[in-house]
Amino acid sequence: MGTAEKDEDTGAGEAGGRGGRRFGNIRIGNVRGGVVGIGDNNHIVNGPQDGAVCEPAYEELLRAVQQLSADLERLVATPEVGALSDELAGAQDEIQRTGRAGAGRLARLRVLLQDAGAGIGMLASGVAVGQAVGALLGG
């Protein structure tokens, strides 16, 4: 048979002798050393997925940021907590992408930790972020 045979359960068909599957007008064959995206809203990353290598101080900060972010989800939302949460998300992304956080971001984190108030300072994760930021900024 020179044409694709339709599979009754999935609507897919075997491509006649060409080593792939057919789904509608799309033929999926072998892909090596590249990426393919089909359909709407794709996000394709072609490269290492492990993130950047971090110095131990930034690894410690990243762990503390992740823990504080999780802890903030359980607090009553205030503008200060929201701003801190947003900055923590940015710091986490920056550290994972580049292996570090810039001095400007660290300074903003320090100020936002203070602005968020005593409630954050009572959280062990808030103390850990404050200590890690202080160590990286030198004070």
Side-chain angles (χ1 to χ4, degrees):
M1 258 193 230
T3 61
E5 295 178 8
K6 184 174 182 177
D7 179 40
E8 292 180 25
D9 292 334
T10 64
E14 290 284 75
R18 293 189 289 182
R21 307 249 329 150
R22 285 186 182 261
F23 299 90
N25 293 328
I26 300 168
R27 180 175 182 276
I28 300 173
N30 293 329
V31 177
R32 294 176 201 255
V35 295
V36 175
I38 299 171
D40 296 333
N41 303 318
N42 289 308
H43 177 78
I44 298 172
V45 177
N46 188 16
Q49 297 294 308
D50 295 330
V53 176
C54 292
E55 295 176 25
Y58 286 102
E59 287 179 10
E60 180 180 334
L61 176 60
L62 180 59
R63 283 190 300 274
V65 162
Q66 291 168 332
Q67 184 61 52
L68 180 55
S69 293
D71 288 345
L72 290 181
E73 291 177 12
R74 294 183 284 276
L75 292 181
V76 174
T78 66
E80 294 82 11
V81 169
L84 176 59
S85 182
D86 290 345
E87 194 65 34
L88 290 169
Q92 180 174 336
D93 178 62
E94 184 176 353
I95 295 167
Q96 288 174 329
R97 282 185 300 102
T98 67
R100 60 185 331 266
R105 183 171 307 275
L106 296 174
R108 286 191 304 273
L109 276 173
R110 178 182 275 173
V111 169
L112 289 168
L113 282 166
Q114 293 167 349
D115 290 349
I120 301 301
M122 294 179 68
L123 295 171
S125 57
V127 172
V129 170
Q131 290 173 341
V133 167
L136 288 165
L137 286 176

